[in-house]
């Protein structure tokens, strides 16, 4: 981070302020961990902080300290809009384009107060007065840890803040196995453990909380998997009917996409999930090595993300979307 940006943020935080902290829509462990971690720090500094999620966060994150105080825009648009309009400062964490907040973009884009962005995705928009954006980081939570140090508040990191930050680091790194995991990541985690993070309990809370239905849905998803060895590609599809059959609740399909990469020789995988309510097919892409799914998602499926993990969507039917996907594969170079 630039010295003058750190100074600028310090100046903004010098007197108590009403601060809104925003994760992206359909927030994940990193989005909720970073926003709540920063929230607890700002409260300790005497600010009137609030986390405002565009929509509901998944159940497996409900143990995060004070997640019950998170406001959900799409559940209560009128009141939450009023809260947003009173904010004197806005942090946007773990995303870099306001459309990632869905409908909430309409409110955010009209605010005139300063925005601060902390994020690790590619190609940030320039809506923020201070932008801390770096794709070398595996998680926004690791960047928030750095930001707290830059601001001179390391001594304020307690077990609560550390647990929030640990959550984003562990979820966004695939439990420390993605290549974005650095020696610095492990050093930060070591510090967080010294502060008292109960890593075993957090792993249990995050990963050992399947419902019976979710595992059955996973079983169906795996049976639906197609493998295209000539393109080193696999993909999974799930219809709305299948989601209904297994009593789908939000978060149930989280992580299923990753199974496609665990097949020997596969470097590219996708999951296509039909969403009748929104009238779209939601797509997640994963890759190993240099095959750039961020570019792929941007080029063909109205999305984006990171080089090895990205999302997109399609307004075609599920079958047509998959047909389109398969036809694009022949144009890709998988010998990267
Ligand atoms: Mn992230």
């Amino acid at each position: 981070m630039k010295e003058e940006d750190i100074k600028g943020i310090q100046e903004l935080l010098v007197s108590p302020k009403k601060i809104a902290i925003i994760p992206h829509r359909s927030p994940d462990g990193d989005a909720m961990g970073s926003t709540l971690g920063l929230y607890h720090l700002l409260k300790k500094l005497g600010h009137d902080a609030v986390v405002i999620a565009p929509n509901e966060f998944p159940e497996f994150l409900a143990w995060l300290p004070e997640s019950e105080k998170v406001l959900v825009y799409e559940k209560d648009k009128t009141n939450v809009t009023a809260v947003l309009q009173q904010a004197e400062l806005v942090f946007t964490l773990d995303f870099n384009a306001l459309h990632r907040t869905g409908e909430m973009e309409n409110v955010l884009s009209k605010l005139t107060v300063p925005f601060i962005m902390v994020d690790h995705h590619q190609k940030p928009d320039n809506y923020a007065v201070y932008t801390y954006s770096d794709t070398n980081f595996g998680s926004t939570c690791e960047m928030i840890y750095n930001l707290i140090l830059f601001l001179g508040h390391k001594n304020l990191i307690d077990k609560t803040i550390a647990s929030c930050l640990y959550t984003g680091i562990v979820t966004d790194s695939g439990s420390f196995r993605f290549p974005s995991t650095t020696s610095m990541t492990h050093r930060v985690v070591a510090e967080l453990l010294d502060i008292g993070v109960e890593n075993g309990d957090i792993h249990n809370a995050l990963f050992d909380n399947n419902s019976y239905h979710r595992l059955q849905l996973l079983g169906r998803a795996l049976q639906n998997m197609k493998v295209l060895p000539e393109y080193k590609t696999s993909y999974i599809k799930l219809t709305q009917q299948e989601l209904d059959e297994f009593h789908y609740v939000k978060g149930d399909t989280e992580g299923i996409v990753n199974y496609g990469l665990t097949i020997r020789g596969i470097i590219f995988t996708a999951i296509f999930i039909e969403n009748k309510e929104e009238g779209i097919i939601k797509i997640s892409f994963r890759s190993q090595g240099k095959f750039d799914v961020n570019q792929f998602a941007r080029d063909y499926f109205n999305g984006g993300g990171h080089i090895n993990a990205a999302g997109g969507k399609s307004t075609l039917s599920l079958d047509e979307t998959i047909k389109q996907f398969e036809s694009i594969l022949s144009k890709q170079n998988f010998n990267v």
Side-chain angles (χ1 to χ4, degrees):
M1 247 194 133
K2 281 181 280 176
E3 194 64 40
E4 67 225 58
D5 287 6
I6 296 166
K7 282 220 176 80
I9 296 174
Q10 280 169 331
E11 269 162 36
L12 284 172
L13 295 177
V14 98
S15 57
K17 280 199 167 59
K18 285 188 164 60
I19 303 177
I21 313 167
I22 321 285
H24 53 78
R25 197 169 187 281
S26 300
D28 56 8
D30 192 28
M32 293 312 295
S34 59
T35 51
L36 281 166
L38 182 63
Y39 158 85
H40 287 289
L41 178 93
L42 292 174
K43 282 211 346 183
K44 278 185 139 180
L45 289 170
H47 297 285
D48 180 3
V50 58
V51 175
I52 305 178
N55 64 343
E56 205 70 76
F57 56 87
E59 190 55 38
F60 74 92
L61 297 171
W63 62 271
L64 282 166
E66 294 194 29
S67 69
E68 73 279 2
K69 293 194 180 154
V70 171
L71 300 181
V72 178
Y73 172 77
E74 289 175 26
K75 256 174 52 183
D76 188 8
K77 288 178 191 170
T78 316
N79 287 317
V80 176
T81 298
V83 175
L84 274 168
Q85 285 168 343
Q86 280 163 22
E88 298 164 276
L89 178 63
V90 177
F91 279 89
T92 68
L93 307 188
D94 201 35
F95 67 97
N96 61 23
L98 293 181
H99 70 82
R100 293 287 320 278
T101 63
E103 223 185 283
M104 203 165 114
E105 177 183 10
N106 299 328
V107 185
L108 290 176
S109 62
K110 289 192 191 90
L111 300 180
T112 54
V113 295
F115 278 54
I116 298 170
M117 179 207 298
V118 182
D119 180 59
H120 64 134
H121 296 84
Q122 299 180 18
K123 301 182 183 169
D125 279 358
N126 63 354
Y127 59 79
V129 179
Y130 299 110
T131 296
Y132 178 28
S133 166
D134 191 338
T135 57
N136 292 312
F137 283 95
S139 66
T140 298
C141 278
E142 190 177 333
M143 299 176 75
I144 291 293
Y145 177 86
N146 281 352
L147 177 69
I148 295 173
L149 264 54
F150 292 148
L151 296 175
H153 297 312
K154 188 177 181 186
N155 59 323
L156 292 182
I157 303 179
D158 56 14
K159 187 178 167 183
T160 297
I161 296 171
S163 299
C164 292
L165 299 183
Y166 183 83
T167 294
I169 294 173
V170 76
T171 53
D172 258 25
S173 68
S175 303
F176 310 111
R177 67 199 175 92
F178 296 155
S180 55
T181 307
T182 62
S183 60
M184 260 319 291
T185 312
H186 284 289
R187 285 192 187 96
V188 169
V189 164
E191 297 276 345
L192 299 179
L193 294 186
D194 284 344
I195 291 164
V197 163
E198 291 176 45
N199 52 327
D201 289 351
I202 293 180
H203 281 257
N204 280 346
L206 292 172
F207 304 118
D208 299 339
N209 62 1
N210 280 313
S211 67
Y212 172 75
H213 289 306
R214 199 240 165 203
L215 277 191
Q216 295 285 303
L217 178 66
L218 170 63
R220 176 65 61 84
L222 296 179
Q223 293 207 314
N224 288 351
M225 189 189 293
K226 285 261 183 325
V227 180
L228 306 165
E230 66 273 38
Y231 301 126
K232 300 178 185 173
T233 295
S234 64
Y235 69 83
I236 288 170
K237 65 170 175 175
L238 282 171
T239 65
Q240 181 73 58
Q241 203 185 340
E242 287 171 316
L243 297 177
D244 295 344
E245 184 184 337
F246 296 105
H247 309 274
Y248 169 82
V249 292
K250 204 168 171 51
D252 277 357
T253 54
E254 193 94 8
I256 293 182
V257 62
N258 297 310
Y259 283 91
L261 278 186
T262 65
I263 295 181
R264 193 179 301 127
I266 297 302
I267 63 162
F268 179 39
T269 195
I271 187 168
F272 300 87
I273 302 171
E274 187 177 33
N275 185 324
K276 279 260 158 80
E277 196 188 323
E278 293 185 37
I280 58 169
I281 308 301
K282 292 199 174 177
I283 316 167
S284 295
F285 300 104
R286 296 289 184 274
S287 68
Q288 261 162 21
K290 295 213 168 84
F291 186 78
D292 186 349
V293 293
N294 169 54
Q295 198 57 50
F296 186 88
R298 280 173 190 266
D299 287 349
Y300 303 108
F301 291 102
N302 306 305
H306 308 278
I307 176 166
N308 294 129
K313 61 185 175 201
S314 162
T315 51
L316 300 174
S317 72
L318 183 58
D319 288 341
E320 283 169 319
T321 302
I322 287 169
K323 231 170 127 183
Q324 186 199 0
F325 174 72
E326 288 200 5
S327 72
I328 295 164
L329 290 177
S330 60
K331 298 182 212 152
Q332 306 299 314
N333 176 17
F334 291 104
N335 296 312
V336 287

